[in-house]
Amino acid sequence: MLSLKIAGISTVIVFITGVFFAHLFSRKQFFGKSIIESLFLLPLVLPPTVVGFGLLILFGKKGWIGSWLLEWFDVQIVFTWIGAVIASIVVSFPLMYQSASAAFDSLDSRMENAARTMGASEWKVFRTITFPLAWPGLLAGLVLSFARGLGEFGATLMLAGYIPGKTDTIPMAIYFAVESGQTEKAAFWVVIIVALGFSTIMWLNWWSRRNMQRYKNGHT
């Protein structure tokens, strides 16, 4: 349940922020855009432990953000489930951003421009045209982000640690069960997380094929 909670919360945050930045960057050109996008996608190519170390520098008790939160709000990020959520957000955000960017870039801007000429506001254009047309790509990013957040281990271990009842997600439970020689326990959780990941990807593939078939039927 903790794994689902962490993956669920991080997916909601990643979906909102990923869609926002992807839509913003797909419609605007400015100096430094490629640098910012490279930073967004950097967690994809870095080892999870490196990402976790960076988060530890930021959110640790003596970190840039962590010390400020501790001093002013008495909030500690390290060794809490909130830390696990932050780690999950950072590692899954690139998947959502990439999927959303591809979805928005593939849209025909003439439909949006036509709505603007008829007096529709930018929010209405996004809500009634852009978002519905981009939804298949956004859904793919949403599902993949959830699956990535569910399986996150390295960055979570660095930032949240392993505290039974607080930060013991399924990947953590598997690792430490193996370390302690509890092979049967580790195998049980492996089956659970494989089943969750497999069913998620299977559903996404089924949904994509169904919608692609509907699209082909509508254009024949």
Side-chain angles (χ1 to χ4, degrees):
M1 291 304 298
L2 180 64
S3 295
L4 294 175
K5 173 184 176 181
I6 291 171
I9 294 174
S10 67
T11 301
V12 171
I13 296 174
V14 162
F15 180 77
I16 295 172
T17 55
V19 169
F20 173 79
F21 283 110
H23 183 258
L24 178 66
F25 283 19
S26 68
R27 298 297 183 265
K28 295 185 180 296
Q29 298 293 330
F30 55 89
F31 178 77
K33 175 183 174 180
S34 60
I35 296 177
I36 297 176
E37 287 187 313
S38 298
L39 290 174
F40 283 167
L41 302 178
L42 192 58
L44 279 178
V45 298
L46 290 178
T49 50
V50 174
V51 176
F53 180 77
L55 293 175
L56 198 58
I57 295 298
L58 287 175
F59 293 99
K61 291 183 178 180
K62 296 182 180 180
W64 300 341
I65 300 176
S67 59
W68 178 76
L69 290 174
L70 192 61
E71 179 180 354
W72 290 95
F73 300 98
D74 195 28
V75 174
Q76 178 178 319
I77 301 299
V78 179
F79 303 128
T80 65
W81 68 271
I82 299 176
V85 170
I86 293 175
S88 181
I89 289 171
V90 172
V91 299
S92 59
F93 177 82
L95 293 174
M96 186 68 238
Y97 179 80
Q98 275 193 319
S99 298
S101 294
F104 290 135
D105 289 340
S106 64
L107 296 182
D108 187 351
S109 59
R110 290 177 297 180
M111 299 182 66
E112 297 173 314
N113 292 332
R116 293 187 184 100
T117 59
M118 298 176 67
S121 64
E122 288 297 324
W123 167 243
K124 188 173 184 180
V125 171
F126 177 80
R127 180 171 55 85
T128 60
I129 298 177
T130 309
F131 189 85
L133 291 177
W135 176 241
L138 300 182
L139 179 61
L142 180 71
V143 173
L144 292 175
S145 297
F146 176 79
R148 181 66 183 86
L150 188 65
E152 165 51 28
F153 172 75
T156 302
L157 180 62
M158 295 286 289
L159 187 62
Y162 179 72
I163 303 176
K166 291 186 177 181
T167 64
D168 53 340
T169 59
I170 293 179
M172 293 286 193
I174 294 171
Y175 177 80
F176 284 98
V178 173
E179 284 288 296
S180 60
Q182 297 176 303
T183 308
E184 292 184 359
K185 181 179 179 181
F188 170 78
W189 288 117
V190 166
V191 171
I192 295 298
I193 199 166
V194 168
L196 286 172
F198 183 78
S199 59
T200 299
I201 300 301
M202 280 289 292
W203 178 85
L204 178 61
N205 289 336
W206 169 81
W207 188 88
S208 299
R209 286 196 299 269
R210 188 187 67 170
N211 281 271
M212 182 59 68
Q213 189 62 43
R214 286 181 177 179
Y215 177 81
K216 290 180 179 178
N217 292 338
H219 287 75
T220 54

